[in-house]
Amino acid sequence: MGKILVVGVGPGSGEYLTPAAREAVARAQVLVGGRSALDLFPGDRPSKVIGKDLEEVLEFIRLHRDTDIAVLTSGDPGFYSILALLTQHFPSEEMEVVPGISSLQLCFARMKEPWHDCRVVSLHGRGIDGLPEELGRAKKLAILTDPKNPPEAVARLLLQRGIKGKRAFVCDSLATPQERVVAGDLESIARERFTGYCVMVIKDG
């Protein structure tokens, strides 16, 4: 039986792939991951794109348990990734986890600020209205957004809730040629348009 190598491939650019991640993927005969993650490793190895049907992905992994499989996760496997699902279906001794650089780390690097005192929320696949009321009052809050819950919608929601005096930073399309970092108050962020795949940091002004 092979290993399930859960590999963090960073925020999406080859320059942020760690040597350990490259080495782990090189060991694998089969790849599983999102389309952009798989594109980092072109070749003719059998592969499976992670889509909405996660049971289909799990079945693909089961069918290839006789060999080493690299399951590629964007960012770091321990941070809102498929690792949580895999640990429910496969014994830990069958897995090896290779950490990666998360979009959150890269965002704060762009801001040139520490993030040990930050609260973190992901809106991926979740409704924006479910954002807890008290989070808007946190001293430093990082939100992972998606196209259905973009930063401008988050800013509008916080303004509707009466949150004032906050400053926001939005890191959009990190580690891609389209990357941009926009800073401003919530009012100005609410008027912007973003791709949706962003890290939004909200902090006291």
Short mmCIF file of all heavy atoms in Angstrom, two decimals, residues 16-44:
data_model
loop_
_atom_site.label_atom_id
_atom_site.label_comp_id
_atom_site.label_asym_id
_atom_site.label_seq_id
_atom_site.Cartn_x
_atom_site.Cartn_y
_atom_site.Cartn_z
N TYR A 16 6.48 29.85 -4.83
CA TYR A 16 6.18 29.61 -3.42
C TYR A 16 6.03 28.12 -3.10
O TYR A 16 5.61 27.77 -2.01
CB TYR A 16 4.92 30.37 -3.00
CG TYR A 16 5.17 31.86 -2.93
CD1 TYR A 16 4.68 32.71 -3.91
CD2 TYR A 16 5.92 32.41 -1.89
CE1 TYR A 16 4.93 34.07 -3.86
CE2 TYR A 16 6.17 33.77 -1.84
CZ TYR A 16 5.68 34.60 -2.83
OH TYR A 16 5.92 35.94 -2.77
N LEU A 17 6.38 27.26 -4.05
CA LEU A 17 6.45 25.82 -3.77
C LEU A 17 7.71 25.53 -2.97
O LEU A 17 8.81 25.96 -3.35
CB LEU A 17 6.50 25.04 -5.08
CG LEU A 17 5.18 24.68 -5.75
CD1 LEU A 17 5.46 24.11 -7.13
CD2 LEU A 17 4.40 23.68 -4.91
N THR A 18 7.58 24.82 -1.88
CA THR A 18 8.77 24.49 -1.09
C THR A 18 9.50 23.30 -1.72
O THR A 18 8.89 22.49 -2.43
CB THR A 18 8.38 24.13 0.35
OG1 THR A 18 7.62 22.90 0.33
CG2 THR A 18 7.55 25.23 1.00
N PRO A 19 10.79 23.17 -1.47
CA PRO A 19 11.51 21.99 -1.94
C PRO A 19 10.89 20.69 -1.45
O PRO A 19 10.84 19.69 -2.17
CB PRO A 19 12.92 22.20 -1.39
CG PRO A 19 13.07 23.68 -1.26
CD PRO A 19 11.70 24.16 -0.84
N ALA A 20 10.39 20.69 -0.22
CA ALA A 20 9.77 19.48 0.34
C ALA A 20 8.51 19.12 -0.44
O ALA A 20 8.22 17.94 -0.66
CB ALA A 20 9.44 19.69 1.81
N ALA A 21 7.75 20.13 -0.87
CA ALA A 21 6.54 19.87 -1.65
C ALA A 21 6.90 19.28 -3.01
O ALA A 21 6.29 18.31 -3.47
CB ALA A 21 5.75 21.16 -1.83
N ARG A 22 7.91 19.85 -3.67
CA ARG A 22 8.35 19.33 -4.97
C ARG A 22 8.82 17.88 -4.85
O ARG A 22 8.52 17.04 -5.70
CB ARG A 22 9.48 20.20 -5.53
CG ARG A 22 9.05 21.60 -5.94
CD ARG A 22 10.21 22.36 -6.57
NE ARG A 22 9.87 23.74 -6.86
CZ ARG A 22 9.23 24.15 -7.95
NH1 ARG A 22 8.85 23.25 -8.85
NH2 ARG A 22 8.96 25.43 -8.15
N GLU A 23 9.54 17.60 -3.78
CA GLU A 23 10.07 16.25 -3.57
C GLU A 23 8.94 15.25 -3.34
O GLU A 23 8.96 14.14 -3.88
CB GLU A 23 11.01 16.28 -2.37
CG GLU A 23 11.81 15.01 -2.17
CD GLU A 23 12.80 15.17 -1.02
OE1 GLU A 23 13.62 16.10 -1.06
OE2 GLU A 23 12.73 14.34 -0.10
N ALA A 24 7.95 15.65 -2.55
CA ALA A 24 6.83 14.75 -2.26
C ALA A 24 6.03 14.46 -3.53
O ALA A 24 5.64 13.31 -3.77
CB ALA A 24 5.92 15.38 -1.20
N VAL A 25 5.76 15.48 -4.32
CA VAL A 25 5.00 15.28 -5.55
C VAL A 25 5.78 14.42 -6.54
O VAL A 25 5.21 13.60 -7.26
CB VAL A 25 4.62 16.64 -6.18
CG1 VAL A 25 3.92 16.44 -7.53
CG2 VAL A 25 3.70 17.43 -5.25
N ALA A 26 7.09 14.57 -6.56
CA ALA A 26 7.92 13.75 -7.45
C ALA A 26 7.84 12.27 -7.09
O ALA A 26 7.98 11.40 -7.97
CB ALA A 26 9.37 14.22 -7.39
N ARG A 27 7.59 11.96 -5.82
CA ARG A 27 7.48 10.57 -5.37
C ARG A 27 6.18 9.92 -5.83
O ARG A 27 6.10 8.69 -5.93
CB ARG A 27 7.51 10.51 -3.84
CG ARG A 27 8.86 10.70 -3.23
CD ARG A 27 8.74 10.88 -1.72
NE ARG A 27 7.89 9.87 -1.07
CZ ARG A 27 7.41 9.99 0.17
NH1 ARG A 27 7.70 11.08 0.88
NH2 ARG A 27 6.65 9.06 0.68
N ALA A 28 5.16 10.72 -6.07
CA ALA A 28 3.82 10.19 -6.31
C ALA A 28 3.63 9.73 -7.75
O ALA A 28 4.16 10.33 -8.68
CB ALA A 28 2.78 11.25 -5.97
N GLN A 29 2.86 8.67 -7.89
CA GLN A 29 2.51 8.17 -9.23
C GLN A 29 1.14 8.69 -9.67
O GLN A 29 0.79 8.60 -10.84
CB GLN A 29 2.49 6.64 -9.24
CG GLN A 29 3.86 5.98 -9.16
CD GLN A 29 4.39 5.95 -7.73
OE1 GLN A 29 3.69 5.51 -6.83
NE2 GLN A 29 5.61 6.42 -7.54
N VAL A 30 0.37 9.21 -8.72
CA VAL A 30 -0.99 9.69 -9.00
C VAL A 30 -1.16 11.04 -8.30
O VAL A 30 -0.67 11.24 -7.19
CB VAL A 30 -2.05 8.69 -8.46
CG1 VAL A 30 -3.46 9.23 -8.68
CG2 VAL A 30 -1.89 7.33 -9.14
N LEU A 31 -1.86 11.97 -8.97
CA LEU A 31 -2.09 13.30 -8.41
C LEU A 31 -3.58 13.59 -8.26
O LEU A 31 -4.38 13.21 -9.12
CB LEU A 31 -1.47 14.38 -9.30
CG LEU A 31 0.03 14.29 -9.60
CD1 LEU A 31 0.46 15.47 -10.47
CD2 LEU A 31 0.85 14.24 -8.32
N VAL A 32 -3.91 14.28 -7.19
CA VAL A 32 -5.28 14.73 -6.94
C VAL A 32 -5.19 16.19 -6.50
O VAL A 32 -4.32 16.53 -5.69
CB VAL A 32 -5.96 13.90 -5.82
CG1 VAL A 32 -7.34 14.46 -5.50
CG2 VAL A 32 -6.06 12.44 -6.23
N GLY A 33 -6.05 17.04 -7.04
CA GLY A 33 -6.00 18.44 -6.62
C GLY A 33 -6.90 19.32 -7.46
O GLY A 33 -7.52 18.87 -8.43
N GLY A 34 -6.98 20.58 -7.07
CA GLY A 34 -7.70 21.56 -7.88
C GLY A 34 -6.98 21.77 -9.20
O GLY A 34 -5.79 21.47 -9.32
N ARG A 35 -7.69 22.31 -10.18
CA ARG A 35 -7.10 22.48 -11.51
C ARG A 35 -5.84 23.32 -11.47
O ARG A 35 -4.82 22.97 -12.08
CB ARG A 35 -8.15 23.11 -12.44
CG ARG A 35 -7.61 23.52 -13.82
CD ARG A 35 -6.89 22.40 -14.53
NE ARG A 35 -7.74 21.24 -14.74
CZ ARG A 35 -7.28 20.03 -15.02
NH1 ARG A 35 -5.96 19.82 -15.08
NH2 ARG A 35 -8.11 19.03 -15.20
N SER A 36 -5.84 24.42 -10.74
CA SER A 36 -4.65 25.30 -10.71
C SER A 36 -3.49 24.60 -10.03
O SER A 36 -2.33 24.79 -10.42
CB SER A 36 -4.98 26.62 -10.02
OG SER A 36 -5.41 26.40 -8.68
N ALA A 37 -3.76 23.78 -9.01
CA ALA A 37 -2.68 23.06 -8.33
C ALA A 37 -2.08 22.01 -9.26
O ALA A 37 -0.86 21.85 -9.34
CB ALA A 37 -3.21 22.40 -7.05
N LEU A 38 -2.93 21.29 -9.98
CA LEU A 38 -2.45 20.27 -10.92
C LEU A 38 -1.62 20.90 -12.04
O LEU A 38 -0.66 20.30 -12.53
CB LEU A 38 -3.62 19.49 -11.50
CG LEU A 38 -4.36 18.56 -10.53
CD1 LEU A 38 -5.62 18.01 -11.18
CD2 LEU A 38 -3.47 17.43 -10.05
N ASP A 39 -1.98 22.11 -12.45
CA ASP A 39 -1.25 22.79 -13.51
C ASP A 39 0.20 23.09 -13.14
O ASP A 39 1.04 23.32 -14.03
CB ASP A 39 -1.97 24.09 -13.89
CG ASP A 39 -3.25 23.84 -14.68
OD1 ASP A 39 -3.43 22.71 -15.17
OD2 ASP A 39 -4.07 24.77 -14.79
N LEU A 40 0.49 23.09 -11.84
CA LEU A 40 1.87 23.33 -11.39
C LEU A 40 2.78 22.13 -11.69
O LEU A 40 4.00 22.26 -11.67
CB LEU A 40 1.90 23.62 -9.88
CG LEU A 40 1.26 24.93 -9.41
CD1 LEU A 40 1.16 24.95 -7.89
CD2 LEU A 40 2.06 26.13 -9.91
N PHE A 41 2.15 20.97 -11.98
CA PHE A 41 2.92 19.74 -12.19
C PHE A 41 2.47 19.06 -13.48
O PHE A 41 1.78 18.03 -13.44
CB PHE A 41 2.75 18.80 -11.00
CG PHE A 41 3.16 19.41 -9.69
CD1 PHE A 41 2.22 19.99 -8.85
CD2 PHE A 41 4.50 19.41 -9.29
CE1 PHE A 41 2.60 20.56 -7.65
CE2 PHE A 41 4.88 19.97 -8.09
CZ PHE A 41 3.93 20.56 -7.26
N PRO A 42 2.80 19.65 -14.63
CA PRO A 42 2.37 19.05 -15.90
C PRO A 42 3.02 17.68 -16.12
O PRO A 42 4.13 17.42 -15.64
CB PRO A 42 2.85 20.07 -16.94
CG PRO A 42 3.97 20.81 -16.27
CD PRO A 42 3.62 20.86 -14.82
N GLY A 43 2.32 16.85 -16.84
CA GLY A 43 2.84 15.51 -17.12
C GLY A 43 1.69 14.58 -17.45
O GLY A 43 0.54 15.00 -17.58
N ASP A 44 2.02 13.29 -17.55
CA ASP A 44 1.01 12.33 -17.96
C ASP A 44 0.64 11.35 -16.84
O ASP A 44 0.09 10.27 -17.10
CB ASP A 44 1.47 11.55 -19.20
CG ASP A 44 2.81 10.84 -18.98
OD1 ASP A 44 3.36 10.94 -17.87
OD2 ASP A 44 3.28 10.21 -19.94
#
